[in-house]
Amino acid sequence: MGAQPSSPANAGAQTVRRAIQALKLIAAKTGDGMRLADVAQALDLERPTTHRLLKALAAEGMLSQHPGNRRYFLGSLVFELGLNATHQFNLIDLCRPQLHSLAEQTGDTTFLFVRSGNDAICLSRVQGPYPIQTPAVPVGARQPLGVNAGGLALLSALSEREAYEITQTVAPRLAVYGNLTPEQIMEHWARAQISGYALIGNRAVPGVTAVGLPVISEKGAPIAAITIAATSSRMTEERVAEIVPWLRQTTEIVAQRL
């Protein structure tokens, strides 16, 4: 007696499992992406079946495909869902004591940012005791990655190719930030690779300079970013050198507690 045909419910569950497996595979190759043939081989599927699966995930925003090399990468919806999941892990509550401590140490305003697609969103802000405070990015504000120190810190944790693709995508939105260009963002990205921290001024908020570092997961992915902002005249090279160790200690503490 032949095998019974799969029920619609079983077929649907199998499709979901395959989709999750594909996402896990591509997530593990976040810097390089994956070719259709490689995903098909890893999942032991025919190429047409794999193609339909990946196209469906891309249509829903779970994957994106590079127009040049046709490799698949995680899509913006993954980061949107991740942003929503941060509330379950109490990221804001977990970071609040560290943000307050850092604000007290430096006297300046501290921020918590997370990535949402090609943007950085401000989740939390703590004002320090220094008498001259800066106009600040408000909680909930969304700006392109690379415009503020939080977004630049998150961008600096990505590969050069990923960073370049993001800057090209957000290029039409950059003019309002002091005529910032994708090339200038990539210059900031390159400096962050050398210095080990993100530093940018007079872009997100005129007259304000901020320094930031990403919070890195055990797998090496940027979870969030913590920044310190002050007036550009106050944020001198000497001051940056003074506060970066405090900032680094804070991000390491947060990473350990996640």
Side-chain angles (χ1 to χ4, degrees):
M1 186 173 179
Q4 294 295 321
S6 299
S7 69
N10 289 338
Q14 184 182 53
T15 300
V16 171
R17 283 194 295 270
R18 287 173 173 173
I20 293 173
Q21 289 169 352
L23 290 171
K24 287 181 177 179
L25 283 170
I26 294 169
K29 299 287 186 178
T30 185
D32 300 321
M34 288 190 74
R35 300 179 305 165
L36 169 64
D38 296 331
V39 177
Q41 182 178 15
L43 296 180
D44 194 24
L45 294 174
E46 296 292 334
R47 288 186 60 164
T49 301
T50 307
H51 182 261
R52 289 193 296 271
L53 178 66
L54 299 184
K55 284 296 183 183
L57 290 171
E60 295 298 326
M62 297 295 288
L63 293 177
S64 63
Q65 190 176 28
H66 189 281
N69 59 31
R70 310 301 295 168
R71 288 175 177 265
Y72 286 91
F73 296 84
L74 292 181
S76 61
L77 182 58
V78 173
F79 298 103
E80 295 283 355
L81 295 175
L83 176 63
N84 292 330
T86 60
H87 298 291
Q88 298 180 27
F89 295 104
N90 297 316
L91 182 61
I92 296 174
D93 292 340
L94 185 149
C95 292
R96 185 174 290 112
Q98 276 63 50
L99 291 181
H100 277 279
S101 177
L102 193 59
E104 286 293 326
Q105 282 180 308
T106 64
D108 297 311
T109 305
T110 60
F111 299 84
L112 172 67
F113 289 89
V114 293
R115 179 180 176 182
S116 175
N118 294 324
D119 293 345
I121 296 181
C122 178
L123 286 189
S124 185
R125 180 185 72 195
V126 177
Q127 186 170 310
Y130 189 70
I132 301 176
Q133 290 295 317
T134 64
V137 175
V139 173
R142 174 191 291 264
Q143 294 176 323
L145 290 172
V147 168
N148 56 53
L152 183 59
L154 292 165
L155 198 70
S156 73
L158 305 178
S159 69
E160 184 173 8
R161 184 174 65 186
E162 287 179 285
Y164 175 80
E165 291 172 355
I166 289 170
T167 59
Q168 294 303 306
T169 301
V170 302
R173 303 164 54 199
L174 297 177
V176 296
Y177 301 103
N179 290 318
L180 186 63
T181 66
E183 292 74 22
Q184 289 172 326
I185 291 181
M186 289 307 299
E187 289 174 3
H188 285 298
W189 177 92
R191 283 196 285 270
Q193 305 308 304
I194 297 171
S195 66
Y197 56 84
L199 180 69
I200 191 167
N202 293 308
R203 299 299 186 179
V205 180
V208 174
T209 295
V211 58
L213 284 173
V215 177
I216 304 297
S217 72
E218 291 183 352
K219 295 183 178 181
I223 303 170
I226 296 176
T227 71
I228 302 168
T231 60
S232 295
S233 60
R234 174 170 164 80
M235 192 67 79
T236 62
E237 289 185 13
E238 293 76 15
R239 179 150 181 78
V240 170
E242 178 184 8
I243 65 179
V244 162
W246 294 336
L247 184 59
R248 193 176 307 281
Q249 182 182 44
T250 300
T251 57
E252 290 174 353
I253 290 173
V254 171
Q256 291 169 3
R257 293 183 177 179
L258 285 173

